[in-house]
Amino acid sequence: MNKTERSTATLRPFARKLVMEPNPEDWMAVRDGQFYCVPADCYVDPMTPVDRAVITHGHADHARKGHGRVWATPETVDIMRTRYYISDDTEATKLRYHERHDLGGGVTLWFASAGHILGSAQAVFEYQGQRIVAAGDFKRHADPTCEPFEVVPCDVFITEATFALPVFQHPPLEAEVEKLLRTMTTLPDATIILGVYALGKCQRVMKTLRLAGYDKPFYMHGALRRLTELYESYGQDFGEWRMVSDYDRKDKDRYRGHIVLCPPAQVNDRWSRRFADPIPAAASGWMQIRARARQKRVELGMVCSDHADWNDLIRTCRETEAGMVWITHGRVEALEYALEREGIPAKGLHLIGMEEEAGE
Amino acid sequence: MSFADFSDLLDDLYFTNSNLSKQAIFADYLRRTPDPDRGWALAAIGGTLSFDLFKRNLVKSLMEERMDPYLFQLSRHYVGEMSETVALAWPQSPEPTRLNRLPDLHEVIEEFKARDQGRDRAGIRDYLIRLLDNMSPPQRWALLKLGTRGLRIGMSARTVKKTLAEMAGVDVGVIEELWHGLSPPYEALFAWIDGAADMPDISNVLTYSPVMLSHPIDEEKDLDGLTPDTHAAEWKWDGIRVQVAGMNGEARIYSRTGDDISHSFPDLAATVNWDAVIDGELLVRPANESGEREIGSFNDLQQRLGKKKPSAKLMREKPAHLIAYDIISEDGASFRDSSLDERRERLEAFIAARNPDYYSLSERLDWSDVDDLRALREEAAASEGLKEGLMIKRRDSVYVAGRPKHAWYKWKREPFLLDAVLMYAQRGTGKRSSYYSDYTFGLWGEKDGEELLLPIGKAYFGFTDEELAQLDKWIRNHKVARYGPVQEVDKELVFEVAFDSAHTSPRHKSGYALRFPRISRIRWDKPAHEADRIPALEALVGK
Ligand SMILES: [Zn+2]
């Protein structure tokens, strides 16, 4: 798309000149492609090892190993330990939601829930009467495995734009679960091999299935075990689940009529050869796009996203009443354009290391 | 039954890979859905709907009115396709008319049809908006694809017919015979499948009759049993096998699989003023350098294949011609139970009364022993690609649908062989979906002074399970880059590729296309740089 087409299509009915004191870019800068809070000498979700890091949540494209000091919610710190992102050399500070903390340099940090996965948080930075919210990954749809998203009024709202196109309007997960159960009724002897990310997606799908009345045991790939146990230690109940590795490889028929959960890469790989009549399935926000689902060789796509969809992105930016929105990655152009049409000044940053689909 | 069930069905079929599962899903739907909905679903999926419910342009203009053009453009670009973009991003009307229930599939079709017949364009528009406002994205997708007849859900006509055959407990040939004699919403067909009525009578309907096919000859076992008293030999021409059918002044030309291709060959169709069904090979008769018309090669014919409406010029330069092999019926009498020799007599009489510019008789070749047959096969190999080899048919064979054993043999000339290098691999479908079993290979060529591999074709796996596993392992250990489902590999493994003929093709990167390529051997021993080069293929074009 070229610039001319865009500018003729752009209407800015309410566009206004922004004056903010101090200039937020002076104290929340982009350094080496990541956010850096200057007075507190601290990075947000850095991709490379740093001395001081605020971590919004435990996904691998936000939490990394090798930092000197880490600030995060208690759940996120536990997740990072489970994934070996925090070693003995790391000093971790656990902050509950709304617990205010002096980060140094006159900066106060607190966390608000982001509704993305267990322990996910928006990092709220306050400095000289100004408030910047780094939302990390967030969603507004209901999720029985984590706290709901909380709107924090702010001066600058930093958002991602993974699903920022009008074609992304996530259906309620309950409807998608119905679809899965319908397939299991039509093909009762098949084995559903459901690809899910180990952190968050796996547990959300299990819990939603339980709430829909699915009461058979789940079978599970080894890679999903530790994080599921961690969720259970926070009081989540997923009913009975069993490890595939506990059964004889030749016992192919055991899984018929059941759901087997595994990481997405294993769905069509050698690992799945041990099941009778497998139906490759996946739970992901990308499943909305047919060609994508086919490309991933998925026969049953559940549209299940842990990110905000198009309408929720715009609604959230509006509700925070932010004077300025910074957009980190994803379909930046579309969101920037739509926000400006609403009279909300927006700026695309195209941060590096945040490639599409790398995101969990 | 609600449109929602139809939409669920399409989704299930679209995302299911195995044909058997598709059949199970489709049969289940047809069993629990009443008339006429199931018949319309069958028409939509079988590709026999004969009208659009609304035009693509209407959909486009509705979107342009409702959505910011820049955001629509970004969305469409991202999704890659208009119907799906509209299905996902459809902006609700400000005050939508809410429906208490989604209409049935047949109600949707009938409503659009009624408004179209009343030339009520505004009515079509309003009804489309009302439906889209009340539908989920998959339902909208189903409606848009149904309405513009762009439904591609990867279910072949053959699989559709197999589903019906299984439901009715008959051979698929029976459905093939009926198929073209019936029309949507197929109530008579389903009444028979349900056991509530007799098989539909289509003797007065012009329709495709399933054809008889041959087996490749087994040189070890079959050759010895051949004598001129029991078997007749003919050329196997390299055109396309067709069936020309006439009844009550109507004409149809069907492909071997029953597709109506009459529109591509109106010149031949115009000659049909008789009631009969003739089986033969369709070719063209271009003029040679001295102005005489001769049977042309497959390359000549290619220009006329798939043409919706061939130009008068093209038809003058490449007029269609039928070389007749067999006669299936004439004036209401079927000859399927007669012997080949008896049918031959009728065919000779029939063709003698036709215009020789358009019809000729497939020659019965003279031979007395197997050595003669070998010599004839050599002659076919030297025919510059006109003849693919020989057909050897039992003289007492009756005309049976499908591929009966030991009735007709094909003895193709030796395939051409080239050593090509494996370039890309892709996983198979169904049972083989975890193996790389689909291969693209290339020959060495020169482009801008640089030596590189140019892809010449694609073939599926044709080895033993053990070889497949070996090959799968090799590919996993030699990955280079990934393009969606396509895995690029190190250019180190040589395949011996067999194929029937080679043609020029502007659609392919190398400029060439192979007919019936298959991988005959894996050359684990051969270094890639010793594989064949493009000029070796060039030399085989049209041979
Ligand atoms: Zn995340």
Side-chain angles (χ1 to χ4, degrees):
Chain A
M1 180 133 331
N2 63 44
K3 284 273 180 247
T4 8
E5 277 173 73
R6 204 208 125 147
S7 58
T8 50
T10 307
L11 297 167
R12 301 188 189 190
F14 312 112
R16 60 187 180 216
K17 188 89 190 121
L18 182 77
V19 186
M20 280 195 201
E21 242 343 281
N23 182 352
E25 288 180 42
D26 287 344
W27 67 277
M28 187 62 81
V30 174
R31 194 177 276 190
D32 303 327
Q34 36 214 9
F35 278 107
Y36 174 68
C37 179
V38 182
D41 180 27
C42 187
Y43 286 89
V44 185
D45 291 348
M47 288 294 95
T48 46
V50 298
D51 285 345
R52 293 158 61 84
V54 171
I55 308 294
T56 59
H57 67 286
H59 278 149
D61 50 347
H62 294 261
R64 290 287 171 99
K65 63 179 174 188
H67 305 315
R69 278 200 73 173
V70 159
W71 288 266
T73 63
E75 296 89 342
T76 300
V77 170
D78 284 351
I79 290 165
M80 290 177 75
R81 278 197 211 285
T82 305
R83 295 186 135 187
Y84 308 110
Y85 295 160
I86 291 181
S87 65
D88 294 343
D89 302 334
T90 310
E91 188 186 329
T93 305
K94 294 178 174 180
L95 298 177
R96 302 190 171 287
Y97 295 131
H98 286 264
E99 187 177 335
R100 295 175 68 83
H101 180 82
D102 181 0
L103 206 54
V107 178
T108 301
L109 167 74
W110 57 279
F111 289 123
S113 67
H116 176 57
I117 58 166
L118 180 70
S120 66
Q122 309 174 64
V124 183
F125 295 87
E126 293 174 358
Y127 178 68
Q128 294 190 1
Q130 213 166 56
R131 185 186 278 169
I132 296 179
V133 173
D137 291 341
F138 69 96
K139 73 165 175 290
R140 306 294 298 265
H141 279 54
D143 181 343
T145 62
C146 66
E147 294 289 314
F149 179 89
E150 178 188 351
V151 175
V152 180
C154 57
D155 298 292
V156 177
F157 185 66
I158 305 174
T159 180
E160 46 97 8
T162 308
F163 290 107
L165 277 178
V167 288
F168 291 111
Q169 301 184 28
H170 303 322
L173 187 52
E174 288 71 21
E176 298 297 294
V177 160
E178 279 308 314
K179 192 163 85 186
L180 179 117
L181 295 176
R182 196 180 77 223
T183 304
M184 296 184 75
T185 316
T186 319
L187 304 169
D189 294 331
T191 310
I192 307 281
I193 316 292
L194 182 58
V196 287
Y197 283 114
L199 174 55
K201 192 83 76 187
C202 170
Q203 296 78 22
R204 182 183 179 202
V205 166
M206 283 200 289
K207 188 74 193 177
T208 309
L209 274 158
R210 289 297 184 225
L211 293 173
Y214 180 76
D215 55 8
K216 293 188 200 174
F218 292 110
Y219 287 94
M220 201 184 275
H221 185 278
L224 310 179
R225 176 182 200 148
R226 285 163 62 91
L227 287 161
T228 301
E229 284 170 347
L230 187 137
Y231 266 67
E232 286 180 334
S233 76
Y234 276 89
Q236 289 283 339
D237 182 6
F238 304 112
E240 187 189 356
W241 47 273
R242 303 168 174 171
M243 303 309 297
V244 169
S245 54
D246 287 346
Y247 300 95
D248 187 344
R249 270 194 84 115
K250 293 189 190 75
D251 192 3
K252 290 186 167 209
D253 295 323
R254 143 178 309 273
Y255 309 96
R256 289 182 188 275
H258 286 79
I259 298 170
V260 178
L261 297 151
C262 64
Q266 258 70 54
V267 171
N268 272 311
D269 203 39
R270 271 177 284 189
W271 186 76
S272 66
R273 288 179 198 165
R274 69 183 76 199
F275 306 110
D277 293 336
I279 296 183
S284 151
W286 303 110
M287 290 301 123
Q288 193 122 56
I289 309 294
R290 280 162 196 272
R292 288 267 185 140
R294 283 282 281 262
Q295 197 182 49
K296 301 246 175 261
R297 315 194 44 78
V298 161
E299 295 199 10
L300 199 154
M302 287 169 71
V303 184
C304 170
S305 167
D306 295 326
H307 295 256
D309 67 7
W310 172 249
N311 293 324
D312 283 346
L313 280 168
I314 294 173
R315 169 165 78 102
T316 305
C317 293
R318 200 189 296 132
E319 287 174 2
T320 61
E321 293 172 359
M324 166 67 94
V325 172
W326 294 345
I327 307 163
T328 55
H329 66 285
R331 259 130 295 280
V332 172
E333 283 166 321
L335 184 58
E336 194 181 354
Y337 173 80
L339 289 175
E340 296 209 349
R341 272 174 58 96
E342 291 233 344
I344 303 172
K347 188 171 160 185
L349 298 170
H350 295 281
L351 292 196
I352 53 161
M354 311 285 262
E355 292 307 318
E356 174 193 339
E357 279 191 281
E360 289 182 41
Chain B
M1 199 125 108
S2 163
F3 190 88
D5 294 272
F6 173 64
S7 152
D8 285 348
L9 169 71
L10 293 190
D11 255 18
D12 290 346
L13 292 176
Y14 181 93
F15 288 108
T16 302
N17 283 327
S18 117
N19 274 334
L20 276 181
S21 305
K22 278 181 203 269
Q23 284 184 38
I25 291 165
F26 194 28
D28 175 59
Y29 172 88
L30 294 175
R31 264 189 219 105
R32 62 187 161 78
T33 305
D35 293 322
D37 266 29
R38 56 178 170 175
W40 289 117
L42 176 60
I45 291 165
T48 55
L49 265 188
S50 56
F51 49 89
D52 286 341
L53 302 184
F54 43 82
K55 297 291 171 205
R56 250 178 87 80
N57 258 341
L58 171 61
V59 179
K60 208 172 148 208
S61 70
L62 284 180
M63 275 317 268
E64 281 164 356
E65 287 165 24
R66 284 165 179 251
M67 197 166 156
D68 178 275
Y70 179 65
L71 291 175
F72 182 50
Q73 200 182 337
L74 282 180
S75 299
R76 192 172 158 178
H77 189 252
Y78 181 82
V79 174
E81 198 245 343
M82 189 178 76
S83 298
E84 192 178 347
T85 309
V86 176
L88 292 171
W90 174 255
Q92 296 274 319
S93 305
E95 282 169 32
T97 313
R98 285 283 162 228
L99 300 174
N100 291 329
R101 63 165 189 95
L102 221 48
D104 291 350
L105 173 61
H106 75 94
E107 290 175 313
V108 170
I109 290 171
E110 283 154 14
E111 189 68 43
F112 276 116
K113 218 171 157 184
R115 290 174 193 228
D116 183 58
Q117 276 159 0
R119 304 198 173 280
D120 179 7
R121 293 181 74 173
I124 291 177
R125 188 191 139 92
D126 291 347
Y127 189 53
L128 179 58
I129 291 173
R130 194 187 313 158
L131 290 176
L132 290 172
D133 275 345
N134 282 278
M135 284 177 168
S136 71
Q139 290 164 354
R140 289 196 283 257
W141 185 81
L143 176 67
L144 295 170
K145 291 294 187 181
L146 167 79
T148 56
R149 286 186 294 163
L151 209 54
R152 265 175 285 278
I153 48 166
M155 192 158 185
S156 67
R158 180 79 180 170
T159 313
V160 168
K161 288 168 201 161
K162 273 191 181 162
T163 310
L164 296 169
E166 226 150 88
M167 290 175 78
V170 296
D171 189 82
V172 65
V174 176
I175 303 290
E176 295 272 15
E177 248 175 277
L178 286 174
W179 184 246
H180 293 273
L182 304 171
S183 54
Y186 300 108
E187 277 159 335
L189 172 73
F190 284 113
W192 166 62
I193 287 177
D194 289 346
D198 289 338
M199 193 194 291
D201 176 17
I202 54 155
S203 55
N204 283 317
V205 187
L206 179 57
T207 174
Y208 166 77
S209 315
V211 295
M212 178 152 165
L213 302 167
S214 62
H215 278 279
I217 202 160
D218 183 333
E219 293 185 29
E220 310 275 294
K221 289 188 195 141
D222 299 330
L223 282 180
D224 288 343
L226 302 181
T227 67
D229 292 337
T230 54
H231 289 80
E234 296 171 53
W235 296 122
K236 180 169 175 22
W237 292 89
D238 190 10
I240 55 167
R241 180 91 178 271
V242 295
Q243 186 174 91
V244 184
M247 187 187 278
N248 304 328
E250 263 192 278
R252 295 262 199 294
I253 301 170
Y254 295 109
S255 74
R256 204 190 80 177
T257 48
D259 295 321
D260 185 349
I261 53 169
S262 315
H263 53 267
S264 294
F265 302 97
D267 45 350
L268 181 61
T271 65
V272 176
N273 54 0
W274 31 262
D275 288 9
V277 178
I278 307 296
D279 176 354
E281 194 88 4
L282 185 89
L283 292 136
V284 291
R285 271 176 93 233
N288 63 15
E289 283 129 31
S290 33
E292 293 152 18
R293 290 201 177 267
E294 285 182 344
I295 297 294
S297 70
F298 189 81
N299 250 342
D300 293 315
L301 172 64
Q302 226 170 7
Q303 298 172 41
R304 291 207 51 181
L305 295 180
K307 283 259 173 356
K308 277 244 163 68
K309 223 180 147 214
S311 68
K313 178 167 175 283
L314 181 63
M315 288 195 282
R316 214 164 38 241
E317 284 171 7
K318 305 268 163 70
H321 182 86
L322 186 81
I323 299 181
Y325 292 140
D326 218 318
I327 184 164
I328 299 172
S329 65
E330 189 180 6
D331 296 329
S334 166
F335 308 137
R336 282 177 178 271
D337 296 331
S338 311
S339 71
L340 177 66
D341 277 356
E342 288 162 352
R343 296 198 306 276
R344 176 78 189 185
E345 245 173 75
R346 293 182 188 276
L347 183 69
E348 282 174 9
F350 182 88
I351 295 298
R354 309 271 84 86
N355 179 346
D357 287 349
Y358 292 98
Y359 298 88
S360 57
L361 197 61
S362 165
E363 186 186 348
R364 269 201 170 180
L365 302 169
D366 259 344
W367 66 287
S368 50
D369 56 29
V370 171
D371 282 340
D372 291 343
L373 291 177
R374 285 186 206 281
L376 286 166
R377 182 167 172 256
E378 288 304 310
E379 200 181 320
S383 69
E384 301 285 309
L386 276 182
K387 297 158 189 164
E388 279 186 287
L390 296 181
M391 292 298 302
I392 302 163
K393 302 175 177 174
R394 272 189 78 106
R395 297 174 59 171
D396 61 2
S397 58
V398 292
Y399 196 100
V400 189
R403 230 178 268 275
K405 287 230 163 79
H406 303 296
W408 294 1
Y409 296 119
K410 58 182 162 198
W411 195 11
K412 286 200 194 180
R413 59 185 198 192
E414 294 291 339
F416 297 116
L417 296 175
L418 283 174
D419 285 334
V421 181
L422 175 63
M423 301 176 70
Y424 307 99
Q426 217 172 319
R427 293 183 203 213
T429 51
K431 261 205 184 104
R432 299 215 142 132
S433 65
S434 66
Y435 292 95
Y436 288 101
S437 57
D438 175 1
Y439 316 103
T440 303
F441 39 82
L443 300 182
W444 294 107
E446 221 184 67
K447 214 166 195 180
D448 307 323
E450 213 186 313
E451 182 82 355
L452 78 178
L453 281 169
L454 295 167
I456 52 158
K458 221 173 143 159
Y460 295 98
F461 168 75
F463 324 98
T464 62
D465 281 358
E466 196 183 323
E467 275 177 304
L468 173 65
Q470 248 180 318
L471 202 50
D472 185 66
K473 193 172 162 217
W474 188 91
I475 290 163
R476 286 171 191 279
N477 292 330
H478 292 81
K479 292 181 174 178
V480 177
R482 217 185 157 76
Y483 309 93
V486 179
Q487 180 65 53
E488 186 178 2
V489 297
D490 289 323
K491 311 299 180 301
E492 288 173 8
L493 187 62
V494 177
F495 284 162
E496 183 183 83
V497 178
F499 53 96
D500 284 5
S501 56
H503 304 275
T504 52
S505 163
R507 284 188 301 123
H508 290 80
K509 215 182 193 171
S510 61
Y512 300 98
L514 308 180
R515 277 192 99 197
F516 304 122
R518 60 260 183 200
I519 294 158
S520 58
R521 267 196 302 164
I522 311 173
R523 299 291 307 265
W524 299 104
D525 55 313
K526 192 159 191 166
H529 66 265
E530 286 179 19
D532 280 304
R533 302 177 43 80
I534 290 287
L537 175 57
E538 234 159 41
L540 298 176
V541 170
K543 287 278 153 56

